[in-house]
Structures are given as C-alpha cells and as structure tokens.
Amino acid sequence: MNRMDILVTLDQNYLPPLQVMLTSLHFSHPRDSLRVYLMHRDIPKKSLETLAAQCGQLGLELVPIQVDGTLFQTAPITKQYPQEMYYRLLAPHLLPQNLHRVLYLDPDILVINSLTPLWETELQGCLFAAASHKGKTELMNNLNQVRLGTECKYFNSGVLLIDLDAGRKEIVPEIIFAYAEEHSKELLLPDQDILNALYGHRTFELEDTFWNYDARYFNTYLLRSGGVCDLDWVLAHTAILHFCGKSKPWQPGYLRRFGILYKHYIQLTRRTGLYLEPTPVPAKAE
C-alpha cells in the first residue's frame, strides 16, 4: 500500500480524543505509512508540539495546516456555524495540490481494524464515499430526505473518503456559503446537512457496519444482521467505531458497550507520557 493520507479538523478541545484516535490508528496499521493532516484555526503551538511528539512515537507523520480566514469572508460564521465546520467540505481547496485523495475521520472514532480496503475503494466517479446510519428501519433516512428535499440516503459526515481532484473542479466555496446562509434555520447538523443537500447525489455509499459503526446501537446492528454482528464479529470485522451523539466515552459515567474498549486506548495513549488530559467539565450548581 502507498501512503495513506488522513485528514482531521478540530479545535483545542478535541485534541485528547484525537490523540486516542491516532493511537488506535497506529495499532491497526503498525507497518503502514500514514500522514495526518490537521486543519485548525488557532491551536496553540505547545499543544501542536505535544501532538507531533506523540505522532513521532507512533510512527505517524503530522502535518498541521493553519487555515487562513480569508476564504471565509462571505461565509456564515456563528457559534452554530464555526469556521471549522466548512473545512472537510473545502478540503480540496485547503490541502496541497499534489494530494489526489484523502480520508477524513472525526476525532471521536476508534480504528480497530485496517482501513486499507476503504482507502483503496474505487469511488466510481463520485466526489465522496460515506456511510448512512440506517438504524432498524429507513425512517430517519426518509425524514432527512423530506427535510432537505433530497432523494439520496442521508450520509454521516464523520468518515469521508474524498476525491480531491474532482472536488477542486466541482466544489465551489461560495455555493456552500450561500446554501448555509439561505437555509440557516433548517440545518440541524450543518456540515452534514450541507454535504447531503449539495453532494449527496455525488456520494458513493459505504457499508456502515464496516466503515462507520455507530457505537450507540450495538443491539440495532445485532438485530438487523439476524444475530451475525455480535461482539466477536465487530471486533474482527469493523474498522471504525464512531462514538456519535452527545455522550462520549472519555466523559465520566459513560456506560455503553464499547466504553471499556475506548478507556483501554486512553490508557495506551497515556503511556506515551504525552496525553493532553481533557479539561474537566465544571459541576453545575445545585
């Protein structure tokens, strides 16, 4: 396999989960060449140095990219619409021109098996490859299709294989910004909704049980598969566990099935001596 290029986009608060994800990435690819592009706006230099040191220990190449805000002068930028939310969709214009494809990963992910088959997926002329979280039925897909006025499945934007060459030709920043402005009151998950509304028809569907397993819904996957996708199957075949939703496994009191596995990777990350411990959330006053 040639080098795999990974993209992550985040702010300072998500560095600890990113470190855990990178640990899992390393252990699933101990001999592969991996380059990690980190797009950010204002992560402190000291934190980037710590992250680079960790990547050095893991045999990963880190390439931080501080994004210039000039491109976003006409973009709706608010607390709900931070500049960072546009980065993954605009990756073709923000990454080096000599890159031809990149695999975007959310930081709240564990990589527990090889990503090589995903990296080598033929996009069949599409801009993106992504998975749809079907659930027990197609109800949520149908609701999102009505909400956004689309006919394609509703794709999760936490794992995206991106054809950068095609994106440089087809993705126009001003169109994305105009859509965000026009539909600002309708978008529930802005970056994901924009992906689906503008590019859902240009997205190749991945199987979520392998490439974007929603860690909240073990029982749903088990039922949907007729009992095939049990815990042993997941550990042997699923490549990406995605900890979707507000409840996260690095937070106190997380009780869902894969929480103990996540804590194992936290401990592996701590052993580097470089883990940036999450800032505790202050307790609410009674």
Side-chain angles (χ1 to χ4, degrees):
M1 183 193 74
N2 295 326
R3 186 190 71 226
M4 188 185 305
D5 292 308
I6 305 295
L7 172 64
V8 293
T9 69
L10 62 153
D11 60 20
Q12 169 84 2
N13 295 325
Y14 261 84
L15 282 177
L18 172 62
Q19 290 186 287
V20 176
M21 188 269 275
L22 294 178
T23 297
S24 71
L25 183 67
H26 161 73
F27 281 104
S28 295
H29 299 83
R31 291 172 294 277
D32 292 331
S33 175
L34 302 171
R35 179 180 290 170
V36 179
Y37 289 88
L38 167 59
M39 275 189 211
H40 70 100
R41 178 172 42 174
D42 54 5
I43 294 177
K45 180 180 178 182
K46 185 176 180 181
S47 296
L48 292 175
E49 289 172 349
T50 300
L51 187 64
Q54 180 203 4
C55 286
Q57 285 192 21
L58 297 175
L60 309 174
E61 181 182 356
L62 179 69
V63 182
I65 298 177
Q66 187 166 14
V67 178
D68 186 349
T70 305
L71 179 63
F72 303 93
Q73 289 179 350
T74 62
I77 303 291
T78 65
K79 184 177 181 180
Q80 185 186 9
Y81 298 88
Q83 180 176 302
E84 289 85 350
M85 86 165 199
Y86 298 104
Y87 290 173
R88 74 190 79 177
L89 293 180
L90 296 181
H93 302 289
L94 298 172
L95 289 170
Q97 294 292 303
N98 62 352
L99 288 186
H100 304 294
R101 66 166 44 190
V102 75
L103 177 59
Y104 170 83
L105 298 176
D106 270 353
D108 57 347
I109 273 173
L110 286 180
V111 179
I112 61 172
N113 283 296
S114 175
L115 298 176
T116 300
L118 172 58
W119 176 248
E120 295 177 348
T121 295
E122 173 56 55
L123 292 179
Q124 300 181 21
C126 291
L127 286 173
F128 301 98
S132 172
H133 287 153
K134 305 177 187 69
K136 293 179 184 177
T137 69
E138 293 290 336
L139 177 60
M140 288 309 299
N141 261 326
N142 295 339
L143 290 175
N144 283 312
Q145 286 172 345
V146 171
R147 182 170 61 86
L148 297 174
T150 61
E151 297 181 356
C152 57
K153 291 187 176 180
Y154 185 77
F155 295 104
N156 181 274
S157 63
V159 177
L160 291 175
L161 184 62
I162 307 172
D163 183 333
L164 297 173
D165 291 330
R168 290 177 186 117
K169 298 175 183 177
E170 296 187 42
I171 295 175
V172 180
E174 290 73 21
I175 292 177
I176 291 175
F177 301 154
Y179 185 89
E181 183 73 44
E182 183 178 350
H183 299 273
S184 61
K185 296 181 180 179
E186 307 157 30
L187 304 181
L188 302 179
L189 298 169
D191 51 346
Q192 190 162 282
D193 285 350
I194 293 170
L195 168 74
N196 281 276
L198 295 181
Y199 307 110
H201 66 292
R202 300 284 287 115
T203 300
F204 178 79
E205 184 178 4
L206 301 172
E207 174 54 52
D208 63 330
T209 50
F210 293 103
W211 307 119
N212 196 340
Y213 184 106
D214 189 332
R216 296 172 294 182
Y217 298 128
F218 172 81
N219 289 333
T220 297
Y221 286 105
L222 187 64
L223 288 170
R224 200 176 77 195
S225 67
V228 171
C229 295
D230 59 12
L231 191 58
D232 288 335
W233 189 96
V234 171
L235 293 176
H237 297 94
T238 296
I240 293 174
L241 285 177
H242 192 180
F243 293 88
C244 304
K246 292 183 179 180
S247 180
K248 300 298 185 184
W250 58 86
Q251 296 169 337
Y254 186 87
L255 298 176
R256 291 196 171 104
R257 188 175 303 264
F258 294 102
I260 189 66
L261 180 61
Y262 194 91
K263 291 182 186 299
H264 170 66
Y265 280 99
I266 289 178
Q267 292 306 316
L268 292 176
T269 307
R270 283 197 175 110
R271 290 175 191 171
T272 66
L274 297 165
Y275 183 50
L276 298 165
E277 297 284 349
T279 303
V281 178
K284 293 183 178 179
E286 294 294 336

